[in-house]
Amino acid sequence: MTMNDRFVRQDFKGDVMGMDMHGVSITGYNKPAGRYESVWFDNMNTAMSHMSGHKTETGWVYEGEETDPMSGQILSIRDVITIHNKDHFSFERQYPAEAMEAQGMPVPEGAEWVGGFRVTYTRGRENQGGNAINANR
């Protein structure tokens, strides 16, 4: 927690596709707007992702946009955060099915969103980072 417990800061350190990655997320609840908001930035891109979302029974869902560092294309994104227990939660970045199909990725029939990657977090593993599982890319 940071800024008088108004925001949550998450640090991610891990291996993504064979490269060291460090990412930071700042998340909080915007009372006047009535929504959760989040910003993400990392050492593999110079653009920040801005998202807004809502609470679910098992966590949160955020939607926003990110800039592809290779093409500069702006992509719609969806983050699904699931709380598994008091010490574990997961984060899955999803992309629209048509965007994944255009990249030649497998898309289940009828899917609107497709998982791009998943990160699992464990409390108490400071300086060890999360575990990034790259599902489709």
Side-chain angles (χ1 to χ4, degrees), residues 32-119:
R35 67 177 179 247
Y36 289 90
E37 296 178 339
S38 181
V39 63
W40 166 268
F41 49 96
D42 60 55
N43 66 334
M44 300 180 95
N45 196 345
T46 58
M48 290 188 254
S49 296
H50 301 268
M51 306 183 76
S52 62
H54 63 277
K55 184 130 178 51
T56 67
E57 283 186 27
T58 58
W60 294 266
V61 174
Y62 289 86
E63 291 187 7
E65 296 178 333
E66 74 175 7
T67 304
D68 183 306
M70 302 301 278
S71 69
Q73 180 182 4
I74 297 188
L75 305 170
S76 293
I77 54 175
R78 181 178 185 207
D79 290 344
V80 178
I81 300 165
T82 305
I83 305 298
H84 301 287
N85 58 47
K86 70 180 186 80
D87 293 321
H88 301 90
F89 72 94
S90 61
F91 165 98
E92 183 178 61
R93 169 65 48 90
Q94 299 177 344
Y95 297 92
E98 62 272 10
M100 296 299 271
E101 283 179 323
Q103 293 183 23
M105 302 298 171
V107 174
E109 190 173 327
E112 291 183 46
W113 293 90
V114 178
F117 63 88
R118 181 182 175 95
V119 178

